[in-house]
Amino acid sequence: MILIVDDKKENIYSLKTLLESKNFEVDTALSGEEALRKVLKRNYALIILDVQMPGMDGFEVAESLAGYSRTKDIPVIFLSANNTDKQFITKGYDSGGIDYITKPVDPEILLLKVRTFSRLYEQTQSLNEAQLRLQSEIESRKKAQEELKIQVEHLRSIMESLPQIAFSVDDSGKISYVNHNWLNYAPDGETLPIAHPDETDQLAYFLTHCNELNGPIEREIRIKELESGQYRYHLLRIIPIREDNKICNWIGTLTDINDQKLIESKKDEFLSIASHELKTPLTGIKAYVQLLERVIGKQDINISKTYIERAKDEVLKLESLISDLLDISKIENGQMKINKQEIDLEKTITNAIETIRETCCPNITIERQGEVFDKPVVADALRIEQVLVNFLTNAIKYAPESEKVLVKTSVKDKELCIAVQDFGIGIPIEKQKYIFSKFYRVEESSLKFQGLGIGLYICAEIIKQHQGNYGVESKVGEGSTIYFTLPYNQQNYA
Ligand code: ADP
């Protein structure tokens, strides 16, 4: 749209007719003021401005247009009848015009100029629009990038806070990110953890075959921990991340399941040992009953009594095994009850020693050393006796060649300490800390001596429930001292 501004209607008419004949859209204004009002409301591609007008002259209108950002780029052609002076022409350009035409107007020249200027304006406009679009595109991309950065950082901090090893893999099977746990198994983010030599399904295999796999994978693999040099079982999980239905990368985690695996294998081992241990006394009982059957008619009371006694011993062994097993399940369910009351600890110790003397080999002496506990203590007498019987049974079992076992007692630092010392095979130093753990048996002795690896675990639970401590001092080939303490104060050691 072109705006013609002239105070003379006849001038406007002839110009308008000329331009419209060439298919230009035309609007008109009869004064500078009217022109300004129109320009603020509409967009014009070109303004043809008469210089001499009553009120605002052409120069003033052009200057005002140059002052508004909306109108400053509209090209202005001045039309002048008189002012052909150089200084007027200069003023015209200074006030924002781009051309100065003097009357009489050559229609062809004018049309040429109008066509050029309005095309120029349109091009400038579309350039400006393109620039604006570009700018807003840049802005929105910047925003999207910032949002993406925040999301990536958020995701990273989640990955970093995971207790597992976490990593991501790009579609070419290359590792693109690892969290700090990875570095416990590999020197840097580009190197893979060392796989167990026996392992056929290795991490490297899955990474190189990632893009052949359509869904998530889950496998148990073993990788080498750098610090300990130990191969630990991990659960490897890799899931594909899709964008527009296409897999763009993979997220993986490695969860340490080594301890679970150990417990599982210990449980299996325990079940097989437990069934064997239960079967041994049962076979004994069966054998003695069969022998009794044979001798019953011969009325040999002494032989019958011996068989009955032996069968009773086997029943006792069976009973103690079953009660240990029951204790284990009570501990697992948090149902092991401790019945604390004021007891005579000295009597409990004597009872335990007597029980062992009656049931175990008579050629071992059990010697009592140390302070005699002559004051009442708050504890569960039966459970404390159970602990002592257990310690003493072990002391005799794991010292087959020796002749004596010591039961030593002392009072120190608000604690009563009861220790059982033997002179047997001893326990290697690095294994001592495990002997109170569930199902643990020292490998070196487990083949030679029968046992379930639960006795000391039950003892530890009993002592813990008395708020006491327990421990071991031992030297291979010289023997072991296994001890426990009971706290005493005004309430339980008056
Ligand atoms: P177990 O039924 O195997 O004897 P325990 O829980 O009583 O189970 O003991 C756990 C392990 O600790 C035993 O298997 C044994 O290896 C070791 N142990 C316990 N007491 C002694 C001891 N007095 N001397 C040597 N080793 C011992």
Side-chain angles (χ1 to χ4, degrees):
M1 172 80 71
I2 296 165
L3 178 67
I4 304 167
V5 189
D6 203 314
D7 58 321
K8 291 183 190 80
K9 278 189 182 159
E10 59 276 20
N11 287 351
I12 286 186
Y13 177 77
S14 62
L15 258 179
K16 191 172 183 255
T17 317
L18 174 71
L19 292 176
E20 280 177 345
S21 72
K22 297 293 172 200
N23 294 328
F24 286 105
E25 277 188 275
V26 178
D27 194 7
T28 57
L30 285 166
S31 67
E33 291 81 351
E34 189 189 352
L36 282 182
R37 274 198 301 276
K38 286 202 163 182
V39 158
L40 290 177
K41 280 187 203 141
R42 280 188 82 153
N43 277 338
Y44 294 100
L46 177 70
I47 300 172
I48 300 171
L49 196 54
D50 185 25
V51 174
Q52 271 195 318
M53 288 186 289
M56 269 182 117
D57 69 13
F59 299 134
E60 285 171 318
V61 175
E63 270 165 18
S64 301
L65 289 176
Y68 294 112
S69 64
R70 210 176 99 77
T71 55
K72 69 179 174 24
D73 295 326
I74 307 174
V76 174
I77 298 177
F78 286 112
L79 270 186
S80 166
N82 311 321
N83 298 318
T84 50
D85 275 2
K86 202 175 152 195
Q87 73 177 90
F88 280 102
I89 295 172
T90 315
K91 192 174 175 196
Y93 283 110
D94 284 349
S95 57
I98 57 165
D99 208 345
Y100 199 101
I101 297 175
T102 47
K103 294 175 187 170
V105 175
D106 178 334
E108 273 180 28
I109 299 279
L110 181 74
L111 273 175
L112 211 68
K113 290 193 174 181
V114 165
R115 203 169 278 138
T116 311
F117 290 137
S118 59
R119 198 178 297 144
L120 242 167
Y121 178 75
E122 269 154 23
Q123 280 170 354
T124 315
Q125 281 299 91
S126 62
L127 258 173
N128 284 346
E129 275 163 28
Q131 198 191 4
L132 273 177
R133 272 200 307 276
L134 252 168
Q135 226 160 11
S136 90
E137 173 88 18
I138 290 170
E139 287 301 315
S140 65
R141 278 192 188 199
K142 250 192 201 166
K143 217 173 138 203
Q145 246 174 359
E146 265 160 31
E147 273 165 17
L148 199 74
K149 208 175 139 203
I150 292 170
Q151 272 179 6
V152 167
E153 265 163 25
H154 182 62
L155 204 72
R156 288 239 156 130
S157 58
I158 291 176
M159 301 271 260
E160 283 301 325
S161 65
L162 286 179
Q164 289 107 326
I165 297 172
F167 58 92
S168 63
V169 182
D170 64 21
D171 56 359
S172 66
K174 241 184 110 207
I175 291 181
S176 46
Y177 163 79
V178 297
N179 74 352
H180 69 283
N181 291 328
W182 177 276
L183 302 176
N184 295 332
Y185 288 84
D188 53 60
E190 274 119 51
T191 316
L192 293 185
I194 300 168
H196 193 280
D198 296 347
E199 217 102 273
T200 43
D201 279 357
Q202 296 183 350
L203 182 57
Y205 172 83
F206 292 114
L207 297 190
T208 43
H209 288 77
C210 256
N211 37 17
E212 291 165 26
L213 307 161
N214 257 327
I217 54 155
E218 207 173 277
R219 290 284 190 293
E220 282 180 12
I221 60 167
R222 274 173 289 174
I223 49 173
K224 194 177 186 177
E225 190 179 39
L226 291 184
E227 200 180 306
S228 63
Q230 189 195 7
Y231 287 97
R232 294 184 68 84
Y233 271 100
H234 280 76
L235 181 68
L236 167 70
R237 271 202 194 107
I238 306 187
I239 53 161
I241 305 293
R242 289 169 204 271
E243 242 174 51
D244 304 329
N245 238 355
K246 201 180 152 261
I247 294 173
C248 56
N249 53 36
W250 300 77
I251 297 282
T253 53
L254 281 157
T255 312
D256 192 327
I257 51 163
N258 207 55
D259 294 345
Q260 269 159 265
K261 281 291 234 188
L262 274 181
I263 290 172
E264 263 170 43
S265 80
K266 281 221 178 122
K267 225 172 198 162
D268 292 345
E269 196 187 324
F270 170 76
L271 278 178
S272 86
I273 298 174
S275 14
H276 174 77
E277 289 280 302
L278 288 170
K279 214 170 165 222
T280 313
L282 208 61
T283 316
I285 294 167
K286 202 172 146 196
Y288 290 123
V289 171
Q290 279 171 350
L291 285 171
L292 262 175
E293 243 176 6
R294 272 190 225 162
V295 295
I296 209 142
K298 296 178 187 160
Q299 290 189 341
D300 189 337
I301 293 293
N302 285 341
I303 284 250
S304 304
K305 263 190 181 169
T306 317
Y307 290 154
I308 289 172
E309 281 307 314
R310 288 193 187 156
K312 264 167 72 185
D313 285 349
E314 296 300 322
V315 169
L316 281 178
K317 277 188 208 161
L318 204 59
E319 199 186 6
S320 118
L321 274 171
I322 292 170
S323 66
D324 272 3
L325 290 174
L326 286 175
D327 276 349
I328 284 280
S329 65
K330 278 186 198 156
I331 294 170
E332 303 276 272
N333 301 323
Q335 281 171 351
M336 189 163 77
K337 296 270 171 329
I338 294 291
N339 191 9
K340 281 194 214 170
Q341 48 187 290
E342 274 194 359
I343 62 159
D344 179 349
L345 189 57
E346 198 53 46
K347 200 171 150 213
T348 306
I349 297 171
T350 315
N351 284 349
I353 296 175
E354 285 309 313
T355 309
I356 293 296
R357 272 192 191 129
E358 280 165 22
T359 52
C360 285
C361 10
N363 40 352
I364 284 202
T365 340
I366 302 173
E367 232 176 86
R368 172 78 172 83
Q369 289 184 358
E371 275 181 65
V372 171
F373 299 133
D374 54 357
K375 290 172 191 156
V377 173
V378 175
D380 182 329
L382 282 178
R383 289 294 187 185
I384 295 296
E385 193 178 322
Q386 183 184 349
V387 173
L388 271 168
V389 167
N390 224 307
F391 282 14
L392 285 165
T393 313
N394 279 352
I396 293 167
K397 180 163 74 172
Y398 295 105
E401 311 286 319
S402 69
E403 288 158 5
K404 69 171 172 185
V405 168
L406 308 180
V407 176
K408 295 173 169 176
T409 49
S410 59
V411 182
K412 59 173 179 196
D413 299 337
K414 294 190 177 171
E415 274 184 338
L416 307 175
C417 182
I418 308 170
V420 174
Q421 184 179 1
D422 66 60
F423 302 92
I425 59 168
I427 305 162
I429 188 135
E430 69 282 4
K431 310 220 163 141
Q432 291 174 10
K433 58 174 178 281
Y434 301 117
I435 64 165
F436 292 93
S437 315
K438 193 166 49 174
F439 307 138
Y440 184 80
R441 307 200 68 219
V442 175
E443 235 171 77
E444 289 86 337
S445 53
S446 63
L447 292 176
K448 222 169 134 203
F449 303 94
Q450 285 190 332
L452 285 177
I454 54 174
L456 289 185
Y457 170 70
I458 297 169
C459 294
E461 284 301 311
I462 295 172
I463 304 303
K464 274 191 230 164
Q465 292 215 29
H466 280 84
Q467 285 75 46
N469 292 313
Y470 50 84
V472 57
E473 283 158 15
S474 181
K475 224 172 178 185
V476 174
E478 289 184 17
S480 316
T481 301
I482 302 189
Y483 63 88
F484 70 91
T485 66
L486 290 174
Y488 75 92
N489 50 36
Q490 276 83 5
Q491 279 146 10
N492 67 3
Y493 197 74

